Amino acid sequence: MRSRWKLWSDRGIPIPILGLVAALLAVATTVGVMSYRNWDLSGRNDALESTLADYRRKEADCTAAIKAGTDFLVAANNFDYRKPEEWTAKMAALTAGPVHDYFATPKVAQDNTDLIKAGKLRKTATVSDAACTAQQGSAVRVIAQIDESTQNFQTPDPVKTTSAVWVQLSRDSGSWKAVDSGRGDQALRGDLAATQPPVAPTTAPPR
C-alpha cells in the first residue's frame, strides 16, 4: 500500500512544497492566535485602566468632600456670643444653593447675631470621624461623628454630647460646598434650624 506522500509525489506535487505550505499554515495560525490574544489583552488592559481611573477619581472626590464636609460641620457647630457675626459668615462661605442664599441674607445674619448674643451661647465641636457613604456624579454624602460642648447663660457648665450627623456636598465652581445637612432624619434644606444655634429662652437672664 503506497503512502500518501508517494501518491502526491507520483501526481507531481513536490513534497518540499507541501512541507513549506504546512509550515506557513502553522505560522499563520500561530500569528492569528497571538494577534487575537494581544488584542484581547489590550482590550482588557484598557478596561482595567478605565476602571482604575474611575476608582482614583472617586477616591479623590471622597477625600475632598470629607475635607469640605468636616470644615462645614466644624463651622456649623462652633460659635461664641462674644463674636457672633463670624458664624453666619462662615456658614455662607461653606455652602451653596438655597442654603448659601439663606445664610448670605443680611437679615438672617443679623437675626443669628442677635440670637447668639442674647442667649450668651457658646459651642465648640470637633469631628472625631467621617466617611463617604454615597457618591453620584458631582454629589457626595458624608457622615460624621462630632463631639460637642454647649453652654449658655442658663447652663454655665458645658454640656458634652456626641452626635451622628451627615452633610450632602456638591461641586460648585471647582470647590466642594455643603448643600444640605442634618442629624438623623432632620435636614437643613427642610428645616434651616437644623444647624442654627438653639433658640434663646424667653425668660430674662438671672441678675
Side-chain angles (χ1 to χ4, degrees):
M1 184 176 181
R2 292 186 298 174
S3 68
R4 182 179 301 174
W5 299 109
K6 178 61 176 173
L7 288 172
W8 284 348
S9 178
D10 292 344
R11 292 175 183 176
I13 303 175
I15 297 304
I17 293 179
L18 287 176
L20 178 61
V21 170
L24 290 175
L25 286 173
V27 171
T29 300
T30 302
V31 170
V33 170
M34 293 302 295
S35 296
Y36 172 80
R37 180 176 175 79
N38 289 337
W39 172 81
D40 184 53
L41 288 175
S42 176
R44 291 182 183 181
N45 287 339
D46 290 343
L48 179 59
E49 289 178 3
S50 176
T51 300
L52 288 173
D54 186 53
Y55 280 133
R56 290 193 187 100
R57 178 187 58 78
K58 288 184 177 180
E59 183 179 15
D61 286 348
C62 180
T63 300
I66 288 177
K67 173 65 168 60
T70 299
D71 289 345
F72 168 80
L73 291 171
V74 169
N77 293 284
N78 281 270
F79 44 83
D80 192 326
Y81 72 92
R82 293 166 297 186
K83 41 186 177 181
E85 64 286 340
E86 292 183 2
W87 185 76
T88 305
K90 289 179 180 178
M91 293 294 286
L94 296 172
T95 55
V99 178
H100 166 78
D101 296 341
Y102 173 83
F103 285 108
T105 303
K107 185 178 186 307
V108 170
Q110 186 58 54
D111 289 345
N112 286 333
T113 295
D114 294 343
L115 179 61
I116 294 172
K117 289 174 67 175
K120 291 189 176 181
L121 302 173
R122 293 181 65 186
K123 182 177 181 180
T124 59
T126 57
V127 177
S128 57
D129 198 10
C132 294
T133 60
Q135 291 180 256
Q136 185 174 8
S138 60
V140 177
R141 172 167 287 212
V142 172
I143 60 171
Q145 181 174 293
I146 59 175
D147 298 322
E148 306 166 286
S149 176
T150 308
Q151 63 187 111
N152 57 34
F153 69 83
Q154 285 190 323
T155 56
D157 295 328
V159 176
K160 297 184 179 181
T161 56
T162 298
S163 302
V165 296
W166 58 267
V167 54
Q168 189 82 8
L169 298 116
S170 180
R171 202 194 312 270
D172 181 69
S173 300
S175 300
W176 289 93
K177 298 292 182 71
V179 295
D180 199 1
S181 180
R183 299 167 184 251
D185 294 332
Q186 187 180 29
L188 179 59
R189 181 178 298 163
D191 182 1
L192 287 169
T195 57
Q196 292 189 58
V199 176
T202 55
T203 56
R207 300 188 180 185

